[in-house]
Amino acid sequence: MCGRFVVSDTTENLVGLFDVDLVADGLPGPSWNIAPTDPVLVLIDAIPKDQPENPEPLRRAESARFGLVPSWAPDPGVGSRMFNARIEEAAEKPAFRDAVVKRRAAIPATGYYEWQLGADGVKRPMFIHSADGAPLLFAGLYEWWRNPAASAGASGRWLLSTTVFTTAASGQLAGIHDRMPVLLDHGFLDEWLDPYFEGDAELLAAIAAAAPSAAEPLTFYEVDKAVGSVQNNGPHLIEPLVA
């Protein structure tokens, strides 16, 4: 699973790093304890409207709710359980299959937390991140949900939400948990986000197959159990635990 993660970079740094064309208002700032239903920064490529045939997609940085809300959901509450999508099943699952086709997203992150079950039966939180501190890119999906109770033009008319793909953990990460987020190689970002390319199970299988290599450079260490409470936030949460 990937239910808690960290984004310590500023929006300005991430926008510059990933060549964003359009930056939405109200993007979330750094957070060291992002949990389901929190706002997160997502990268999506969209086709401009009212442009000549086959215009170049524009990369957008948007704020999305962590936990995907399908367009057909009666209310957004279902999204609190859909913060992860198993990549092996997503192309067939009603909640995700439409988004797989053309609404793929990338979610920048500094790292994520996972709880490791020790031989003593105690779970301990680990902070998993790149060894060089470079931002990670989680592969995911996005969806727009229309609030039927909101009038046209109202600020709450549309809700943008997102989910993070997971796959079987590999390498040293398999000793922490049996699942891990699907990481994107930065060089594959354009192809993954391309709205002209219709995604399918074959695309997801290819991304999943590349995930172990992308995860190989990751490292981890134990952190304080304070991260277990969503009320706690701040850089201290990713400090190595001192025995």
Side-chain angles (χ1 to χ4, degrees), residues 110-112 114 126-130 136 173 176 218-220:
T110 305
Y112 69 101
E114 196 56 81
M126 301 289 169
F127 177 58
I128 303 168
H129 58 101
S130 61
L136 309 177
L173 299 185
I176 300 176
L218 298 186
T219 188
F220 59 89

Side-chain angles (χ1 to χ4, degrees), residues 6-11 13-14 29-32 34 108-111 127 133 235 238:
V6 175
V7 177
S8 62
D9 285 286
T10 65
T11 298
N13 285 345
L14 293 174
S31 176
W32 290 262
I34 296 169
T110 305
F127 177 58
I238 62 172

Side-chain angles (χ1 to χ4, degrees), residues 175-221:
I176 300 176
H177 195 273
D178 63 346
R179 305 292 293 179
M180 66 180 186
V182 175
L183 300 182
L184 280 174
D185 183 284
H186 290 201
F188 193 66
L189 183 60
D190 291 348
E191 289 84 352
W192 173 252
L193 297 182
D194 186 357
Y196 287 113
F197 182 80
E198 293 195 356
D200 54 16
E202 185 176 346
L203 172 65
L204 299 190
I207 290 294
S213 294
E216 189 173 345
L218 298 186
T219 188
F220 59 89
Y221 52 77

Side-chain angles (χ1 to χ4, degrees), residues 144-178:
W144 289 98
W145 179 79
R146 183 176 64 84
N147 183 353
S151 60
S155 59
R157 177 75 165 177
W158 292 96
L159 172 67
L160 177 62
S161 61
T162 190
T163 189
V164 171
F165 278 124
T166 67
T167 188
S170 61
Q172 59 180 347
L173 299 185
I176 300 176
H177 195 273
D178 63 346

Side-chain angles (χ1 to χ4, degrees), residues 101-120:
V101 177
K102 287 191 176 181
R103 291 187 290 279
R104 298 176 299 276
I107 301 95
T110 305
Y112 69 101
Y113 301 106
E114 196 56 81
W115 276 253
Q116 183 179 39
L117 181 63
D120 55 2

